[in-house]
Amino acid sequence: MIRSPLITVMTDAVMKAARSLKRDFGEVEALQVTLKGPGDFVSAADRKAEKTLREALEKARPGYGFVMEESGIVEGSDKSHRWHIDPLDGTTNFLHGFPHFAISVGLERDEQLVAGVIYDPIKDEMFVAEKGKGAFLNNRRIRVSGRRDMSQALVGCGIPHLGKGGHGQLIRELAAVSVRAAGVRRSGSAALDIAYVACGRLDGFWERGLNSWDMAAGLAILREAGGFASDADGGVNPLASGSIACGNEALHRELVEVLKGARA
């Protein structure tokens, strides 16, 4: 595992937020049987985790800016650094007592992603990377998979939820990928999907309609694990476009071509 001061700051903040999220998840499981459901409770858990992360990171790195799911953009006095924070990636999973979600923190320096931490508190899996220092899952160095043939690949995707739009495009893309790939999966957490590509559990992944906090940490980890990423149309800036396609060099290239071929 990387032991730099930066990664220590990030992992300490994430573990602090994870403690309350894990407790809250236990409450959510109990709330499934109630008529009102756990929606308001989950919103409060999300905000509480974001507040914990922000306070810990502000204390350790005063002046850094923030891009956050709940609180939006907060400009810092240090214009060269920004945290991209998703305190609960996989909110719908969490809401339903489905144990697959993560805390995601990425650091941008001078418009370059330089570090990422993604933590799955249920499985106790910490994905970590810092530019030039490699990518790790807990104490193990990770790399993208070596598969080069789409017919052997397990590919992740995102499916737009109610009110989001883009369903027709997704159906065309899903049809195009599923006839070529060994399998397609939808987990409900983009951050973990990208981390899974980084460690070889998935061979590729694509999704549209994302925000920077969904992708920033994952992109930093993926690139340090030898992965390639673009937006879903092959453009160079996933954060700006709000979409991603990723994998090892060969499968990333093929995935982008398949997605292009699925256009209406």
Side-chain angles (χ1 to χ4, degrees), residues 186-217:
R186 199 275 190 183
S187 81
S189 167
L192 285 174
D193 284 333
I194 301 168
Y196 280 20
V197 175
C199 72
R201 291 175 181 169
L202 289 173
D203 301 295
F205 169 69
W206 91 97
E207 185 167 1
R208 299 180 184 275
L210 295 172
N211 295 290
S212 71
W213 52 80
D214 298 310
M215 297 184 277

Side-chain angles (χ1 to χ4, degrees), residues 220-244:
I221 295 164
L222 176 77
R223 286 166 178 160
E224 284 298 308
F228 287 73
S230 64
D231 69 28
D233 300 307
V236 297
N237 194 338
L239 287 192
S241 74
S243 72
I244 187 172

Side-chain angles (χ1 to χ4, degrees), residues 145-169:
S145 84
R147 294 185 185 90
R148 303 184 65 80
D149 189 334
M150 182 75 84
S151 67
Q152 298 178 341
L154 186 63
V155 181
C157 72
I159 298 175
H161 54 68
L162 179 69
K164 211 173 182 188
H167 295 89
Q169 183 174 20

Side-chain angles (χ1 to χ4, degrees), residues 23-35 37-38 41 95-97:
R23 272 196 310 273
D24 291 339
F25 185 69
E27 295 289 329
V28 166
E29 288 181 300
L31 287 169
Q32 293 305 320
V33 297
T34 65
L35 186 64
F41 181 84
L95 178 69
H96 287 264

Side-chain angles (χ1 to χ4, degrees), residues 106-125:
L107 179 63
E108 177 188 3
R109 179 185 297 139
D110 298 324
E111 301 184 358
Q112 297 289 317
L113 294 170
V114 295
V117 171
I118 295 171
Y119 182 58
D120 177 342
I122 300 301
K123 301 179 192 71
D124 191 26
E125 291 189 330

